[in-house]
């Protein structure tokens, strides 16, 4: 579903991503962990074309977003991006739109389906995230956990093949984190392909099929949760996990 090869990225001459490579298979949940500033969020932002890379290749569902550092045509990029759903750290809901309007905006603009079908899907997804009674609420009336669940439902409205999560619980109070992780666990059980940047080690251990540890723009180690958490091989991995 996703193949990243020799991807490099610098800001102001400072290397942020140093030639990393990894893949995500269909129906797989991959957790990306590591200290702040290690390049995890930059990778996710590059996948949804919010950042451009300097060199390397990114393939999504068999189509190239960028190959040998050269990007595909804008029209092709837009088509590829529709296969991705992204959930950010800070919700990014439109404050002047209701929950329903937030969910329906993108599929209506993209003419993804009939208005009736889009409305029906909106109700179904809000039921899935436990917010069917907040259809007409504005974001200002929701808790942080509710906003993030709406953001997940909004990303799912476009029927993505791959869901990306960038620290989805880091802006939440601890008591609200659980309700968001529960929704993500349910998606994993439904075999949604997911790439999750997270500092929630218990979630990574329980839900991920594979865990990738990044530090200083490099992939230091990857493996199953059992391998990485219980028998890390690299000293940098051991030092990071000790803090948790």
């Amino acid at each position: 579903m996703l193949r990243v090869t020799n991807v490099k990225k610098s800001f102001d001459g400072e290397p942020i991503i140093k030639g990393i490579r990894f893949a995500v298979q269909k129906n797989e949940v991959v957790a990306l962990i590591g200290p702040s500033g290690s390049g995890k969020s930059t990778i996710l932002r590059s996948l949804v074309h919010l950042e451009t890379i300097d060199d390397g290749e990114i393939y999504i569902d068999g189509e190239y977003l960028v190959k040998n550092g050269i990007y595909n045509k804008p029209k092709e990029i837009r088509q590829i991006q529709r296969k991705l759903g992204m959930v950010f750290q800070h919700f990014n809901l439109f404050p002047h739109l209701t929950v329903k309007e937030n969910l329906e905006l993108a599929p209506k603009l993209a003419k993804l389906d009939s208005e009736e079908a889009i409305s029906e899907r909106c109700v179904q997804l809000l039921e899935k995230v436990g917010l069917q009674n907040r259809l007409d609420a504005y974001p200002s009336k929701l808790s942080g956990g509710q906003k993030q669940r709406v953001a997940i439902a909004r990303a799912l409205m476009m029927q993505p093949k791959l869901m990306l999560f960038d620290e989805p619980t880091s802006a939440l109070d601890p008591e609200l984190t659980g309700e968001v992780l529960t929704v993500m666990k349910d998606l994993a059980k439904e075999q949604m392909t997911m790439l999750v940047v997270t500092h929630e080690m218990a979630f990574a251990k329980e839900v991920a099929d594979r865990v990738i540890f990044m530090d200083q723009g490099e992939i230091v180690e990857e493996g199953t949760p059992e391998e990485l958490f219980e028998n890390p091989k690299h000293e940098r991995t051991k030092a990071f996990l000790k803090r948790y």
Side-chain angles (χ1 to χ4, degrees):
M1 188 57 70
L2 171 68
R3 181 158 56 84
V4 171
T5 308
N6 197 34
V7 164
K8 297 174 183 174
K9 169 73 177 173
S10 297
F11 288 118
D12 298 326
E14 181 73 27
I16 302 297
I17 306 290
K18 302 172 184 174
I20 71 167
R21 61 176 63 230
F22 68 93
V24 179
Q25 307 302 324
K26 188 178 179 184
N27 307 132
E28 189 179 33
V29 178
V30 176
L32 206 49
I33 66 169
S36 297
S38 57
K40 308 182 303 297
S41 294
T42 302
I43 284 293
L44 256 58
R45 291 174 65 82
S46 299
L47 298 179
V48 291
H49 204 42
L50 290 173
E51 301 279 4
T52 55
I53 63 168
D54 302 328
D55 197 10
E57 298 184 346
I58 298 173
Y59 279 79
I60 295 163
D61 195 27
E63 298 177 272
Y64 81 92
L65 177 69
V66 54
K67 182 164 60 174
N68 296 324
I70 299 166
Y71 277 83
N72 209 333
K73 297 183 182 73
K75 185 182 177 185
E76 300 297 326
I77 289 173
R78 284 195 294 275
Q79 289 297 322
I80 293 166
Q81 295 301 288
R82 282 174 62 166
K83 298 180 180 188
L84 305 176
M86 177 87 170
V87 178
F88 297 88
Q89 212 167 4
H90 291 290
F91 328 127
N92 292 354
L93 300 177
F94 293 109
H96 62 292
L97 301 181
T98 65
V99 167
K100 184 176 191 292
E101 290 165 342
N102 263 286
L103 263 68
E104 293 183 354
L105 181 64
K108 281 181 177 176
L109 286 173
K111 297 182 170 60
L112 199 64
D113 217 327
S114 68
E115 290 205 6
E116 188 180 327
I118 289 169
S119 183
E120 196 174 300
R121 181 160 172 77
C122 171
V123 171
Q124 289 171 350
L125 285 171
L126 286 174
E127 283 179 8
K128 182 193 280 279
V129 300
L131 291 171
Q132 59 270 37
N133 60 339
R134 306 313 302 269
L135 204 67
D136 299 313
Y138 285 90
S140 61
K141 300 296 181 188
L142 304 177
S143 71
Q146 289 173 330
K147 287 176 189 173
Q148 197 59 296
R149 285 186 280 154
V150 170
I152 293 171
R154 181 177 63 175
L156 291 169
M157 283 294 290
M158 294 298 287
Q159 298 174 292
K161 292 190 171 187
L162 170 62
M163 279 287 282
L164 309 172
F165 293 86
D166 187 10
E167 299 272 17
T169 60
S170 65
L172 302 178
D173 294 332
E175 65 266 25
L176 300 176
T177 295
E179 62 192 53
V180 174
L181 294 179
T182 297
V183 171
M184 293 171 67
K185 286 175 187 175
D186 289 344
L187 286 176
K189 284 175 191 165
E190 292 166 15
Q191 295 204 298
M192 169 62 76
T193 311
M194 294 159 64
L195 177 60
V196 186
V197 171
T198 185
H199 63 277
E200 298 287 344
M201 296 302 133
F203 172 81
K205 195 170 185 179
E206 180 186 344
V207 178
D209 299 298
R210 203 153 40 86
V211 181
I212 297 172
F213 171 64
M214 278 187 72
D215 191 18
Q216 297 177 359
E218 300 174 314
I219 290 177
V220 177
E221 191 169 343
E222 66 175 291
T224 65
E226 292 75 20
E227 288 167 346
L228 200 118
F229 287 112
E230 291 169 24
N231 189 28
K233 293 178 175 57
H234 202 287
E235 289 306 318
R236 277 153 80 187
T237 317
K238 291 174 185 175
F240 174 77
L241 292 174
K242 263 184 188 172
R243 297 209 299 270
Y244 289 88

